[in-house]
Amino acid sequence: MANVRLTGADVLGPSGMNNEPLSISDGLICADDAGADVDLSGYIVLPGIIDLHGDGFERHLAPRRGAMKQMGEGLIAVEAELAANGITTAVLAQFVSWEGGVRGLEFADQVFQAIRDTAPTLVTDLRAQLRLETHLLDIYKDIPALVQEWGVEYLVFNDHLPHDRLAQGRHPPRMVGQALKAGRNPDAHFKFLMDMHARAPEVPAALDDLTAQLSATGVKMGSHDDATAAARAVWRKRGVRIAEFPETLEAAEAAHDAGDKVVLGSPNVVRGGSHKGNVSAMDIITMGLCDAIASDYHYPSPRRAALMLEKTGVASWAQAWRLVSEGPAAVLGLTDRGMLAPGKRADIVVLDKHTRRVAATLVEGQFSYLSGEIANRFFKG
């Protein structure tokens, strides 16, 4: 996009909301006036949303089993949805899980290769996150090399095995359907789960070794669904300093007090509580324990959550929007974005002041989304 100066809008700058012009030059926010004026009266100009963790892309890559062979095409559709929701940097969270199917190792390999090969051709900054099930001990030896091959810079550990049911020798809910989706015989699937559960005592030492290897390569690591302060302390000792979606106030407080980063799901904020009965994200945010909120599974939710926090008086514009911009940038170590300040990337979302809908999204000064009347403002004459 040509260098421009955005005028007339409400602009969220480093010191809060103001009405000063915002200049863009060569993909960056600049201090001096640049280019032609674009009147954005009636709009709000904000830093682009940085989504730390989202798996809403799955439906684009696998709309039906076996239907999507060209994953690059699916990622183009993902970018369109991200851009329409004001997301300028997106971390795509792909499972490697015992669930198999679209969460199996073979499918994940295809996804990560597609992200690696397709992302450089897109406007939105797409990044990969590996979500690794902790009880897949047999593949631990391969993970460091795969992470390097895939270009993964962020790995999150989770344990979704239904341990209570397995300890009783009982089938977990929906096990037969899950087995069929994974292409396994239900009896073989159940045995697979029981075998992993039986090896649980081996997991802590294996995790100690794996996290040490990953730390040495600079991979950022997080734990998913921490329930206790003790569990968070164990992860912290391993160098896992990001707490994604803690299930309890105890775990969130323990993470925050120790300087770990706390990431919450924006659907929890929008809904007003967890659909699983976990601690309310709104409560954790109100207590000042949250560093960032992520889309989780719904890309419109980060914007909606930030707007809800501002509208309800829980946070100011600056405080609310920081949770989807500057906060996530800090978690990822991205010092070149997250705020509208001179020298930062021109990653911008423009909202209609009345409807609060996304009117335009720019990444390094390039449009990834533009809709409606605002187009006339940029391309007048």
Side-chain angles (χ1 to χ4, degrees), residues 86-142:
I87 297 170
T88 53
T89 300
V91 177
L92 308 186
Q94 173 61 42
F95 271 99
V96 170
S97 167
W98 46 263
E99 296 170 86
V102 297
R103 296 187 170 187
L105 181 59
E106 182 179 346
F107 189 84
D109 181 59
Q110 296 175 53
V111 171
F112 287 129
Q113 289 192 47
I115 294 172
R116 183 193 62 202
D117 297 342
T118 307
T121 71
L122 304 177
V123 178
T124 305
D125 186 351
L126 298 189
R127 294 165 177 254
Q129 179 198 81
L130 168 59
R131 293 185 65 181
L132 180 65
E133 279 288 325
T134 56
H135 285 59
L136 290 176
L137 293 170
D138 289 342
I139 69 168
Y140 271 32
K141 64 183 184 303
D142 302 318

Side-chain angles (χ1 to χ4, degrees), residues 35-36 50 64 120 126 144 203 212 256 280 319 335 346 353 360-361:
I50 299 171
R64 292 184 181 177
L126 298 189
V203 171
H256 175 78
S280 166
Q319 292 168 332
T335 59
K353 193 172 182 177
T361 306

Side-chain angles (χ1 to χ4, degrees), residues 239-258:
V240 179
R241 301 303 303 270
I242 301 170
E244 277 196 352
F245 310 166
E247 293 185 339
T248 65
L249 179 59
E250 173 192 338
E253 286 184 314
H256 175 78
D257 291 348

Side-chain angles (χ1 to χ4, degrees), residues 206-224:
L207 279 171
D208 290 345
D209 181 59
L210 179 58
T211 52
Q213 292 183 59
L214 294 170
S215 290
T217 64
V219 174
K220 292 187 179 298
M221 295 180 290
S223 58
H224 198 78

Side-chain angles (χ1 to χ4, degrees), residues 224-227 243-248 251-252 262-264 278-279 284:
H224 198 78
D225 294 345
D226 293 333
E244 277 196 352
F245 310 166
E247 293 185 339
T248 65
V262 176
V263 180
L264 301 176
N278 296 331
V279 65
I284 296 178

Side-chain angles (χ1 to χ4, degrees), residues 52 243-246 252 262-269 279-285 289-296:
L52 276 173
E244 277 196 352
F245 310 166
V262 176
V263 180
L264 301 176
S266 55
N268 186 316
V269 178
V279 65
S280 166
M282 189 72 83
D283 290 346
I284 296 178
I285 292 169
L289 304 177
C290 176
D291 295 283
I293 53 179
S295 71
D296 195 2

Side-chain angles (χ1 to χ4, degrees), residues 154-172:
Y154 183 12
L155 186 151
V156 172
F157 296 97
N158 38 235
D159 178 12
H160 288 163
L161 270 179
H163 290 286
D164 291 344
R165 296 289 286 257
L166 295 174
Q168 300 168 13
R170 299 170 61 197
H171 286 187

Side-chain angles (χ1 to χ4, degrees), residues 65-87:
R65 254 186 295 168
M68 180 59 73
K69 300 298 184 183
Q70 300 296 325
M71 287 198 178
E73 298 297 322
L75 287 172
I76 292 170
V78 172
E79 184 195 26
E81 183 177 359
L82 293 166
N85 287 291
I87 297 170

